[in-house]
Amino acid sequence: MTVGSLMGALIVVAAVIALAGTACTTASSGPVTAGPTPPAVIVLKQGADNGNGDIFIAPDGGSASGPEIISNTGKVIWFHAVPAGDWATDFRTQTYQGKPVLTWWQGTGFGGPSSGTDYIYNDRYQQIAEVKAGNGYSADGHEFLITPWNTALIVADTITTANLTSTGGPADQAVIDGIVQEIDISTGKVLFQWNSADHVPYSDSHTPRPASAAMPWDWFHINAVHLDTDGNLLINSRFTWTTYKVSLRTGKIIWELGGKQSTFKLTAAPGQVLDSAGEIFAYQHDPEAIGNDEYTLFDNESDGGIGLLPHSRVVTVKLDLSTKVATLVKSVDQPEGLVAPAEGNAQTTRNGDLFVGWGALPYISEFSPSGHLLFNAQLPDGVTSYRAYRLPWNPAG
């Protein structure tokens, strides 16, 4: 950063802290309410005033944690503090029963086996519904997606025991399996359930087993379930380095992208590079279908240990379903050249920009379709937001 840009950032910091110190508002023009104030956001580059909407984050750590809406300048529009010890994740706008709503997960234990609830608020910031996992599971904070047919897609974890003697492991290894559920929001009924252990072999994991069989092995680590353009599921496993396309009707895997059993040969277009393992992505998050058999993924390239690339990035992958070739066609690197050891997402906005939450790194960014950095902001050290979005939001007056 140049001296000039540093001075500009410091000026913005002062303005943001002053704004944040006034506490949260219930709407962009609503009254100020008393309560905890969220961590200040430092706007490092403010050049994306393009009508794509406000910024939705859920900072954890610092002065307070909870769902938060901020403007392009870092001004706090709305903040909902959660109780001490709770997490809030995946905060965004969605559509439910034809109306815009705010949604997020709230609970404890995020990053491991979690216990929580998914919430739906209307445009007056009033709770109108909540979603819990069924069949004895508890909703995990990695995903809460409302489908176009008004059901919820959520994920959960379950600890069980697996016989791993066929791969040289113990006969009684504790394992953490990933669960996907589709829930009827109005009744809480489970409409669909998928368990990673029923479809993926434990040997596909890239994560070493723990030294003790009694210590749960997080071999799969489910962190996303999204809809492909045809209505089937995209299920993401961080520790098998794979995104699975899964039939929402039968639960069967249609194809695997990345990992040890990839359906596709992995290639890179001119100017693009695979990582040191020959993969397009590793330890990744948030597969998003953007049409024409193209997908974006947040490519961590590290789990906190040695990385496969020197920085995290967002990748765009083009699939050729006839030749079974997957090509890395575009990538944008973390602006500070850093590695995000966990979390993160990438959203294609309505005008084609790419909005990125850098997960465990305290940064959020926006890039033009050509990869030019338009917007960059920073949370305080020690404060993270699992995902970040830029979305239109027009609360009731």
Side-chain angles (χ1 to χ4, degrees):
M1 181 183 292
T2 66
V3 173
S5 61
L6 177 60
M7 290 301 295
L10 292 174
I11 292 170
V12 173
V13 173
V16 170
I17 291 174
L19 287 166
T22 62
C24 63
T25 60
T26 56
S28 57
S29 59
V32 173
T33 60
T37 58
V41 176
I42 304 167
V43 178
L44 304 172
K45 184 178 179 65
Q46 184 182 320
D49 189 11
N50 50 21
N52 281 333
D54 297 316
I55 297 168
F56 292 74
I57 56 177
D60 181 77
S63 54
S65 300
E68 179 181 8
I69 307 173
I70 61 175
S71 72
N72 194 59
T73 63
K75 178 182 178 180
V76 178
I77 296 173
W78 183 76
F79 178 68
H80 177 81
V82 300
D86 273 12
W87 286 73
T89 63
D90 201 23
F91 176 50
R92 54 178 146 169
T93 67
Q94 299 197 67
T95 300
Y96 179 53
Q97 295 181 342
K99 296 180 180 180
V101 292
L102 297 175
T103 65
W104 70 89
W105 174 89
Q106 184 176 320
T108 59
F110 182 68
S114 304
S115 177
T117 300
D118 295 303
Y119 292 97
I120 303 176
Y121 275 48
N122 64 16
D123 62 0
R124 296 181 181 273
Y125 301 98
Q126 300 164 329
Q127 182 181 328
I128 58 171
E130 64 179 36
V131 177
K132 295 180 180 292
N135 297 337
Y137 298 111
S138 184
D140 176 270
H142 285 96
E143 192 71 64
F144 176 35
L145 179 67
I146 299 177
T147 68
W149 46 95
N150 296 308
T151 63
L153 291 172
I154 65 171
V155 299
D157 295 311
T158 181
I159 299 178
T160 186
T161 302
N163 185 342
L164 302 182
T165 55
S166 63
T167 57
D172 58 348
Q173 176 67 56
V175 294
I176 302 174
D177 296 335
I179 305 294
V180 172
Q181 290 185 340
E182 182 185 17
I183 306 289
D184 184 304
I185 295 175
S186 61
T187 66
K189 180 181 178 181
V190 177
L191 305 175
F192 171 89
Q193 183 168 297
W194 187 90
N195 187 320
S196 60
D198 295 336
H199 301 275
V200 181
Y202 292 106
S203 58
D204 280 3
S205 182
H206 283 276
T207 295
R209 292 192 307 271
S212 169
M215 181 176 294
W217 180 32
D218 191 8
W219 69 279
F220 192 79
H221 197 93
I222 190 168
N223 61 22
V225 54
H226 294 152
L227 291 174
D228 204 344
T229 54
D230 62 0
N232 287 307
L233 303 180
L234 298 172
I235 296 174
N236 196 69
S237 165
R238 184 182 184 199
F239 289 157
T240 68
W241 300 354
T242 305
T243 290
Y244 304 87
K245 180 166 180 173
V246 171
S247 168
L248 184 54
R249 185 176 62 86
T250 68
K252 291 184 178 180
I253 294 174
I254 298 170
W255 50 246
E256 302 184 25
L257 175 60
K260 296 181 181 180
Q261 300 193 64
S262 181
T263 305
F264 304 92
K265 178 184 177 182
L266 308 181
T267 64
Q272 302 298 319
V273 296
L274 303 180
D275 65 23
S276 61
E279 299 276 357
I280 293 175
F281 50 76
Y283 302 108
Q284 76 290 341
H285 290 72
D286 192 37
E288 298 280 358
I290 58 175
N292 298 316
D293 295 321
E294 289 192 339
Y295 301 83
T296 59
L297 296 100
F298 184 91
D299 182 19
N300 296 78
E301 289 294 339
S302 174
D303 66 346
I306 297 174
L308 286 80
L309 282 176
H311 53 262
S312 295
R313 60 185 183 175
V314 176
V315 296
T316 302
V317 184
K318 173 73 172 180
L319 302 186
D320 188 320
L321 299 175
S322 60
T323 63
K324 299 296 189 290
V325 172
T327 304
L328 172 60
V329 295
K330 184 188 300 186
S331 59
V332 294
D333 297 341
Q334 205 283 325
E336 287 70 30
L338 301 175
V339 171
E343 308 177 354
N345 74 304
Q347 169 212 354
T348 300
T349 66
R350 56 186 178 181
N351 78 330
D353 285 354
L354 190 68
F355 193 77
V356 184
W358 294 103
L361 295 174
Y363 294 93
I364 52 179
S365 308
E366 186 167 351
F367 299 86
S368 71
S370 65
H372 176 66
L373 180 64
L374 301 173
F375 172 88
N376 202 24
Q378 183 178 4
L379 293 161
D381 289 343
V383 177
T384 64
S385 181
Y386 166 60
R387 288 176 176 171
Y389 300 91
R390 188 189 286 279
L391 296 161
W393 176 243
N394 297 296

